[in-house]
Amino acid sequence: GGRGHPEADILNRAQIPRKSTKTPDSMLRAAFGGVGRAVGAATRVPTVAAVRAHPRWISAESKQDLDDFVKKNDIVLFMKGSPDAPQCGFSRTVCVVLDMHGVGPDQFVSRDVLSDANLRSDIKEYSEWPTVPQVYIKGEFLGGCDIVVDMHNSGELVTALKTVGHTSTWNAEAE
């Protein structure tokens, strides 16, 4: 969909996993399958419960800084790269979706997580969301690429943008 915008077909090409038959524990086993294995030694693979029981911690100062940052800016995008030069397809997709709604790079604040390793880990802890990009509107976490695309498809993004006084330019009928 989205013939009304020149880059709308990126939504159709986005490699966004929709449904998976894998469980979180099976994905952890696959990720840790050969790590640190000595010949003949059993590999201990963490479970999701064990990972959640031992979270990384964000400092109170970093949490406060992020809290202040997302609350003082109407629309915030934590991404890989910049809106003009996204460094991953998911970050690019979010930028395209925002642009389709008339929210250009001059109308939101972005932070490049690749240029700051602490930010890259802290933002995941702050939001309790494991991936980047991440979108915030009026200090509230919306979600990552898949959620932004779903909100675009359902029309919910138009409503979310209205909360910051932005009237979407997306013409769903042109789709």
Side-chain angles (χ1 to χ4, degrees), residues 75 101 137-138 142 151-152 154-170:
I75 304 172
H101 287 268
I137 293 185
K138 282 197 106 66
L142 274 191
M151 290 179 75
H152 162 75
S154 72
E156 293 174 80
L157 188 56
V158 171
T159 304
L161 292 171
K162 283 181 185 175
T163 66
V164 293
H166 180 80
T167 302
S168 174
T169 59
W170 178 249

Side-chain angles (χ1 to χ4, degrees), residues 4-164:
H5 191 278
E7 292 189 284
D9 69 315
I10 195 168
L11 295 176
N12 297 325
R13 293 187 314 229
Q15 299 282 324
I16 301 169
R18 289 292 174 199
K19 293 184 179 177
S20 175
T21 58
K22 296 180 179 180
T23 65
D25 283 335
S26 71
M27 290 186 279
L28 278 170
R29 280 192 296 280
F32 284 86
V35 177
R37 183 185 300 204
V39 176
T43 302
R44 291 192 64 204
V45 177
T47 64
V48 170
V51 171
R52 286 187 179 142
H54 295 65
R56 297 182 317 237
W57 297 102
I58 182 173
S59 73
E61 180 182 352
S62 291
K63 183 180 183 319
Q64 187 62 54
D65 289 348
L66 286 168
D67 213 32
D68 293 344
F69 184 73
V70 299
K71 287 179 179 173
K72 80 174 182 180
N73 295 292
D74 285 344
I75 304 172
V76 176
L77 171 60
F78 292 93
M79 64 182 295
K80 293 178 181 177
S82 68
D84 295 329
Q87 297 298 304
C88 84
F90 297 114
S91 292
R92 176 170 168 64
T93 298
V94 170
C95 290
V96 168
V97 170
L98 290 173
D99 187 60
M100 289 166 59
H101 287 268
V103 182
D106 58 330
Q107 295 171 302
F108 64 89
V109 178
S110 68
R111 297 275 306 271
D112 177 11
V113 301
L114 295 179
S115 65
D116 184 341
N118 288 331
L119 176 62
R120 188 173 183 175
S121 64
D122 286 351
I123 193 59
K124 294 173 185 180
E125 294 303 314
Y126 176 78
S127 64
E128 298 180 2
W129 190 258
T131 59
V132 172
Q134 295 184 11
V135 178
Y136 292 77
I137 293 185
K138 282 197 106 66
E140 294 295 319
F141 177 59
L142 274 191
C145 180
D146 53 345
I147 292 174
V148 170
V149 169
D150 287 347
M151 290 179 75
H152 162 75
N153 289 335
S154 72
E156 293 174 80
L157 188 56
V158 171
T159 304
L161 292 171
K162 283 181 185 175
T163 66
V164 293

